[in-house]
Each structure stands twice: as structure tokens, then as C-alpha cells.
Amino acid sequence: MQSPATASERPDVTAYVGLGANLGDAAQAVRQAIGALAALPHSRLLAASSLYGSAPHQAEGPDFVNAVVALATRLTAPALLAELQRIEAAAGRERPFRHAPRTLDLDLLRYGSATVQSPALTLPHPRMMERAFVLVPLAEIAPQLVPPAALAAVAGQAVRRLDRVS
């Protein structure tokens, strides 16, 4: 974990986080996670997309509720990832198998313009451009990050707007 003195000396980086849940009250879980992200140390919430519904992608189970948020953060990418995993664990996230239904899933999509390839973290998120449930809410809050061709490529994946977060 990063020390507060180190974080306070770093410049803000804009990070984008994808949120999803499909167990229990999924919409409430996503709303609570947005609140937890807004309360992260050395970070502030810049924008939150509407909530969107989508069928599970490469998985089974109930439909997902998804959203994307933009954060200004002074946390490093690994420290931010650790905070995301802490929030998931607090929400009861378990990983019994790949693509399992989940109470909460938080994915670090982008961290500024950083490109990272490590066992723990890959940035930008390697599959975000293949997923309408990421691109549609991301385009709502950061259209400059979503090329029209990318949206066209996922147009066959059904995503529906549910409501605004606030």
C-alpha cells in the first residue's frame, strides 16, 4: 500500500473503472461501489455513467447491472487495483471460477495513458473494446475514448440503460 505522503505528492491521473454485479440487488451493489470509489483516499469522483443492464457475456447467470466511473487519483495503478479488490471483498466478492456470477466486479479499464503488462494488471483493460457493457457507459462519460468503430463492432451485444446513478 502506498503511504499518504507519497500519494499526496503525485499528480492526479484520470482512471476509468468498470463496475458490474449480477447477484442480489445488483443495482444497489453498483451504487454502493460508486460511493466507495468516491471515498477512496487521494481520489475524487469525476463522473459516473448511468446504470446499464446486459446479459452475461461469456458467462451464465442473471443479467448484469453495469456502470463506468472516472476518477482523478493520486494512487498508483497497483494501489488503485488493491483498493478495487478491497471494495469487491467488502461486497462479498468471491472468485470460485472464471466468469462466475458475482456480487460485485470492479475492473480498472484505463489509468491515464499508461500501458501496463504484468501478471497482476494489464492496462488498458485487454477486453474492454470487445464489450458493449463497458463501451456504452464509457462513451456516456468519456466519448473521446470510444471510437465509433468500436461501438459499431459491439452493436449486436444488447445493452439497455436502466437509470441514472444519482
Side-chain angles (χ1 to χ4, degrees), residues 80-129:
L80 180 55
L81 178 62
E83 290 291 340
L84 300 183
Q85 291 170 342
R86 181 189 59 75
I87 293 168
E88 287 178 337
R93 170 74 190 264
E94 296 179 2
R95 291 177 167 86
F97 55 89
R98 184 172 170 86
H99 300 301
R102 54 207 68 164
T103 54
L104 184 64
D105 185 32
L106 301 178
D107 287 325
L108 184 53
L109 303 173
R110 293 182 59 106
Y111 181 85
S113 59
T115 301
V116 176
Q117 186 90 27
S118 75
L121 180 63
T122 301
L123 291 170
H125 189 285
R127 292 169 304 283
M128 70 182 228
M129 291 301 196

Side-chain angles (χ1 to χ4, degrees), residues 4-101:
T6 302
S8 65
E9 296 170 359
R10 294 175 51 83
D12 281 346
V13 173
T14 301
Y16 293 88
V17 177
L19 302 90
N22 73 334
L23 292 177
D25 186 344
Q28 185 60 21
V30 170
R31 285 186 188 95
Q32 287 177 340
I34 291 170
L37 290 167
L40 284 177
H42 309 290
S43 303
R44 70 182 186 288
L45 184 68
L46 298 175
S49 74
S50 300
L51 299 183
Y52 289 84
S54 65
H57 183 72
Q58 299 176 333
E60 294 183 17
D63 283 359
F64 273 87
V65 174
N66 302 101
V68 171
V69 300
L71 298 171
T73 187
R74 293 182 177 183
L75 298 172
T76 63
L80 180 55
L81 178 62
E83 290 291 340
L84 300 183
Q85 291 170 342
R86 181 189 59 75
I87 293 168
E88 287 178 337
R93 170 74 190 264
E94 296 179 2
R95 291 177 167 86
F97 55 89
R98 184 172 170 86
H99 300 301

